[in-house]
Amino acid sequence: MTIPRRSWRAAGTYAAVAVAGLTGAVLCAGPAAAHTPTWAVTCTDVSLDLTAYNDGVTNQVTVTVDGKDLLPTETFGKEFHKKLELPQHDKELTVHLVVKAGDGDQFSKDETKTAPVCADNTPKPTPTVSESKPAEKPTTEAPTPSATPSESSPETAPAAASPSPSSPDLAETGSSSATPVIGGAAVAVLLAGGGIMWSVRKRRTAQH
C-alpha cells in the first residue's frame, strides 16, 4: 500500500507544532521552577538561601521581626545567602520574609514564620536586695582633753615633813621673852632725851 506524500507532510507538520508547543511550555515553566526561596527560623536566628534567580534583573529581599527591620531591603542577583541573629526574647516572635523577583510578581514570595523561645532564655527571678545601712566609718580624730581634771583622781598634796625627834634644837632668832622689856627701855630713853632737849631750848629762849 502506498501512502501519499501529502499525508507524510501533514504528519510532519503536526509533529513540528507539537514539539514547538512542548518546548515553549518547558521554557516557560523553567524559570518558575528555577526560583528557590529557602529559609528557616530557629529561636536564635534566621537563615536565608535564595537560589536560581534571574541575575539579569534586580531582585529584593526584606526580613522584619514584629514589624521591625531585621534585614532592611537588599538587592541580589542569581542567589542570596545570609544568617541573621534574632534578639533575645521571652516570648514568640513573628518573622516576615518578603522576596520580590525582578522578572515577575509570580516568582516573588511573601511568607511569615514564628521564632520560638529558647529554653535558656526564660527570665530568671530577680533576687531581692535587702537594704542595709552602711557601716559607720571609725573616727580618726584624737579625743578632746577634758578642761577640768577628773574628780576620781585628785591631786594629792605633799605631806608636811615632821621634825625628827633626834634633830638638834634650832638657834634662837632674837624673838624671846626679853623683847618687851628692851622695847620699853628704849621708849623711856627717847622720852627722856626729848625732855632734856625741850628744857635746854626753853632756857636759851629765856636768856635772850
Side-chain angles (χ1 to χ4, degrees):
M1 180 178 179
T2 303
I3 301 175
R5 291 183 179 181
R6 182 176 297 178
S7 299
W8 284 106
R9 289 178 182 176
T13 302
Y14 290 142
V17 171
V19 171
L22 181 61
T23 302
V26 171
L27 292 177
C28 292
H35 296 74
T36 310
T38 304
W39 68 304
V41 177
T42 66
C43 68
T44 58
D45 53 59
V46 178
S47 301
L48 301 177
D49 292 294
L50 312 178
T51 59
Y53 276 78
N54 187 354
D55 57 355
V57 295
T58 300
N59 305 303
Q60 295 180 342
V61 56
T62 306
V63 178
T64 60
V65 176
D66 287 346
K68 298 180 181 179
D69 285 342
L70 181 65
L71 174 68
T73 302
E74 287 193 20
T75 58
F76 66 98
K78 186 176 181 180
E79 58 186 34
F80 182 86
H81 303 279
K82 201 161 190 175
K83 192 172 186 179
L84 307 172
E85 185 176 355
L86 289 171
Q88 291 187 356
H89 52 281
D90 55 3
K91 62 181 181 179
E92 293 183 348
L93 300 178
T94 301
V95 184
H96 186 199
L97 170 71
V98 176
V99 179
K100 187 175 182 181
D103 51 356
D105 292 339
Q106 68 273 23
F107 307 128
S108 298
K109 189 176 186 66
D110 189 328
E111 194 170 276
T112 300
K113 291 185 179 182
T114 301
V117 179
C118 295
D120 56 349
N121 282 350
T122 54
K124 298 180 180 179
T126 305
T128 304
V129 180
S130 60
E131 296 182 359
S132 60
K133 296 182 180 179
E136 296 182 358
K137 297 182 180 178
T139 57
T140 56
E141 296 180 358
T144 305
S146 176
T148 58
S150 174
E151 294 180 359
S152 61
S153 57
E155 296 182 358
T156 57
S162 59
S164 176
S166 61
S167 61
D169 294 334
L170 297 176
E172 293 183 0
T173 59
S175 177
S176 63
S177 59
T179 300
V181 177
I182 296 173
V187 172
V189 171
L190 289 176
L191 292 175
I196 295 170
M197 289 296 295
W198 180 79
S199 60
V200 171
R201 287 182 181 180
K202 188 175 182 180
R203 288 179 182 178
R204 287 182 182 178
T205 304
Q207 288 178 0
H208 290 292

